[in-house]
Amino acid sequence: MLDGNKSLVTDFILVGLFPEFWHSIVLNSLIIFIYILAFLGNILLIVLIWRDSRLHTSMYILLSQLSLIDLTLTSTIVPKMASNFFTGKRTISWIGCGTQSFFFLMMGMSECLILTLMAYDRYVAVCNPLRYPTIMSPRFCLHMVAACWTGGSISSFIHTVYPMHFPICGSREIHHFFCEVPVLIKLSCEDTSVYQSVVVVTSIVLLVVPFSLITASYTLIFLTVLHMNSVKGRKKALATCSSHLTVVSLFFGPNIFIYMTFTSSHSPEQDQVLSVFSNILTPMLNPLIYSLRNKEVVAALRKLMERYVVS
């Protein structure tokens, strides 16, 4: 009995997604539907890339990693949120909260680095096409991908273990639909200003610096594209890069706002809206953005469908 009471004391309570919203069942059902679309879309994109030998290039290897990250990111958040809502059990254990926070941060930090690497890939492809096969070889690309995952894992581990040990003296109610560091920090009764400064510095390294590098890469790309003689080549370069820029804007915008101003400058409702947009809606849009505007992916999809129709 004592152990049971102790576990209840260490549990957190997830308030959920907009708990005061009248039509919460409609909202949660819509989120689950978006999650299913994101799950299927990213699975399909990964399958297409790994089954079609024409897509075994650095650009598509990175795209498959982006899909894997989005797949894992949404699966870290939505199933627990849906389970809590439909069962009425809003608690999450201390270990469960730490695990969810770790995987969420790992996916987010890895995605920052993968998107930066994708921008560099496009920069080399457009600005230095003759050396592209040498510079962005599949082996080099896989090494960089491994470095992105490793960097994201180490940083995530540090930023999960440290804040999870802050003392909580009052309510253990989390005004969010999943465990996230900025929200957890607000529950602590200890002065967390030093750690908040660390988070801002980390955000500069993993958000502002990558975003600046991506912006610089695309500035150089657009300057190169403007001097292209081939209209067809110019359109192809702009189509590919505009897809990536759309993804970058959807991902970095909300996260820079959340983590660079994460004290009391925004409400729990703002956090939830930005989280839904960045971590649930964007992973659903990514496969659509890349597949609908990419002839190679569309061709691979047609080839796969024809193969199944014939069989």
Side-chain angles (χ1 to χ4, degrees), residues 49-247:
I49 291 170
W50 289 105
R51 282 182 66 98
D52 196 316
S53 59
R54 294 173 299 179
L55 302 182
H56 291 176
T57 62
S58 297
M59 173 182 168
Y60 293 107
I61 290 173
L62 294 173
L63 181 54
S64 70
Q65 294 303 302
L66 180 64
S67 288
L68 180 60
I69 288 171
D70 285 341
L71 186 67
T72 309
L73 182 67
T74 53
S75 297
T76 300
I77 299 171
V78 179
K80 177 60 179 175
M81 183 204 76
S83 173
N84 282 6
F85 178 77
F86 287 105
T87 62
K89 183 184 176 183
R90 300 188 300 164
T91 58
I92 183 170
S93 67
W94 184 85
I95 294 176
C97 187
T99 303
Q100 188 179 58
S101 178
F102 170 76
F103 279 103
F104 171 77
L105 286 174
M106 182 175 72
M107 295 304 115
M109 292 173 179
S110 299
E111 184 160 350
C112 291
L113 301 174
I114 288 290
L115 288 173
T116 308
L117 195 54
M118 290 175 74
Y120 178 70
D121 174 80
R122 290 301 85 207
Y123 162 74
V124 177
V126 175
C127 300
N128 205 346
L130 296 178
R131 295 190 61 196
Y132 178 76
T134 306
I135 297 174
M136 292 302 295
S137 65
R139 184 178 180 180
F140 171 79
C141 185
L142 290 174
H143 286 163
M144 290 298 98
V145 166
C148 290
W149 281 99
T150 303
S153 300
I154 294 172
S155 184
S156 173
F157 181 78
I158 295 170
H159 283 286
T160 298
V161 172
Y162 192 76
M164 289 297 292
H165 286 86
F166 281 134
I168 298 172
C169 305
S171 171
R172 303 182 72 87
E173 197 173 73
I174 299 174
H175 291 273
H176 214 326
F177 57 94
F178 69 98
C179 289
E180 190 178 17
V181 169
V183 184
L184 288 171
I185 293 301
K186 292 179 181 179
L187 300 179
S188 178
C189 55
E190 189 176 280
D191 181 19
T192 60
S193 58
V194 174
Y195 177 70
Q196 289 186 33
S197 300
V198 173
V199 172
V200 171
V201 172
T202 305
S203 300
I204 291 172
V205 173
L206 290 172
L207 286 172
V208 178
V209 172
F211 185 71
S212 301
L213 292 173
I214 291 169
T215 303
S217 296
Y218 281 103
T219 301
L220 295 173
I221 287 171
F222 285 126
L223 290 174
T224 303
V225 168
L226 290 175
H227 292 89
M228 280 185 176
N229 295 323
S230 171
V231 177
K232 184 179 179 181
R234 190 185 305 167
K235 286 183 178 179
K236 183 179 180 180
L238 288 174
T240 304
C241 295
S242 61
S243 299
H244 187 199
L245 275 176
T246 304
V247 172

